[in-house]
Amino acid sequence: MSLNLDARQRAMLQEMGHPLWWPESAAPAAAPVAEVAHPPAASAQVSEKKQPLAPNQSAPIAPESKADQPLAIPSGAEALFPAPAEPAPAPRPARTAAASSVAPAAPIAPAAQAMPEDFPRVRFALRAPVLLDLREAKLQTEPAPASSQPAWLVVAELPEGTPPQGKAGQLVINMLRAMRLTDAPVYWVPLARLAPGQDASQGDEGQEPPSHSIDALVQDTGAAMALVLGLPAARHLLGGEQPFSRLRQQVHQVGAGRLPAVVTYDPSHLLRVPKAKGETWADLCLALAHAGR
């Protein structure tokens, strides 16, 4: 519908307070397009926004199925329709000079197994084996009863004495109990330090001479497996200068009879560094697997 107003009618509308915002000669309205495949160019949209509609003319309503679909922007109109700016990230609190100078704490690794300060000048010798009663946690003075399980040798330097003396000795008993060796003969073989000038065949005052031959120990006890606790015992039986970490997690052969032996931490070290108990248990499981238990 279009209105053709003459000069008199236009003057009356102005007096009544109705502004004349439509053109004098309204052009015929273009028929609305039912469906637009692509949005018009940016310049065409700007001109259409400025052109007013007739009073009784309503804008075409898009189909409901297309209402929620976003319109694609033509390739040449990116400058007129910029993408919404990404929200700026929240500012981080400023680090003080003291905080930035502090380096992150490194994970604490278990302390390495240490040798005596006077090593290698210090010499060691193997004393006679002592049978352990794991059920009663004491030394067994009688000969080992007949058992279908192979015997074990446990070689270590224990300053507190023979298990179960002291905290380290009690820890040895608990380790062997955890391995379920209560039904097998287990012999404790003390590793003794020799005084300067002392011969390995000479014992301390009031004690029997130490046995310094691993082959003699195997012959006396019939042992089929050995646990070597600590670096001093490993150096005495295996020799060499390999780091303690490389001696663990493998089965060694000691003596002329090639007795299988597994190296792990000594109980005194475990009392100082409890985190090493997990690695020790892995070594004990390796020994059990090799012994077929």
Side-chain angles (χ1 to χ4, degrees):
M1 176 180 180
S2 61
L3 297 177
N4 295 326
L5 303 177
D6 54 14
R8 177 174 170 274
Q9 292 174 339
R10 297 171 65 88
M12 291 176 60
L13 291 176
Q14 290 181 358
E15 291 294 334
M16 295 172 60
H18 294 283
L20 299 178
W21 46 266
W22 58 81
E24 296 181 2
S25 58
V33 182
E35 182 177 354
V36 180
H38 300 282
S43 59
Q45 292 183 357
V46 173
S47 61
E48 288 182 1
K49 289 181 180 179
K50 293 184 178 179
Q51 182 178 0
L53 297 177
N56 296 334
Q57 183 178 1
S58 58
I61 300 177
E64 294 183 357
S65 59
K66 301 294 183 177
D68 297 333
Q69 297 182 2
L71 296 178
I73 300 176
S75 59
E78 288 82 1
L80 298 179
F81 297 91
E86 294 291 337
R92 296 182 179 179
R95 299 179 59 183
T96 60
S100 58
S101 61
V102 178
I108 301 177
Q113 186 78 59
M115 286 293 294
E117 295 181 357
D118 51 356
F119 188 87
R121 294 187 301 271
V122 65
R123 295 179 302 132
F124 296 91
L126 299 177
R127 295 195 179 277
V130 180
L131 183 62
L132 297 178
D133 186 353
L134 299 181
R135 296 183 184 275
E136 301 295 334
K138 63 180 182 180
L139 302 180
Q140 186 169 336
T141 57
E142 300 178 358
S147 175
S148 59
Q149 300 295 332
W152 289 62
L153 297 181
V154 183
V155 184
E157 180 189 19
L158 195 62
E160 299 181 4
T162 304
Q165 298 178 9
K167 293 182 178 180
Q170 295 174 5
L171 181 57
V172 171
I173 296 295
N174 293 336
M175 290 167 56
L176 299 175
R177 284 176 172 177
M179 297 174 67
R180 298 182 180 180
L181 295 180
T182 54
D183 59 343
V186 179
Y187 292 89
W188 174 259
V189 181
L191 184 68
R193 299 190 186 193
L194 299 178
Q198 181 183 0
D199 189 0
S201 60
Q202 299 176 357
D204 297 334
E205 184 178 357
Q207 295 181 352
E208 296 180 358
S211 175
H212 57 274
S213 171
I214 188 67
D215 295 326
L217 293 175
V218 173
Q219 183 177 2
D220 293 342
T221 61
M225 192 71 192
L227 290 177
V228 183
L229 309 183
L231 187 56
R235 287 284 188 264
H236 181 77
L237 293 178
L238 302 177
E241 297 181 355
Q242 288 186 340
F244 186 78
S245 58
R246 295 187 180 181
L247 298 177
R248 297 180 48 254
Q249 280 298 294
Q250 58 177 313
V251 179
H252 303 271
Q253 309 291 334
V254 297
R258 303 182 64 83
L259 175 69
V262 172
V263 177
T264 191
Y265 296 100
D266 63 71
S268 300
H269 178 79
L270 296 179
L271 292 177
R272 295 191 303 268
V273 188
K275 292 183 179 181
K277 291 183 179 180
E279 299 178 5
T280 302
W281 180 245
D283 298 333
L284 301 182
C285 291
L286 174 63
L288 290 172
H290 187 79
R293 294 182 63 93

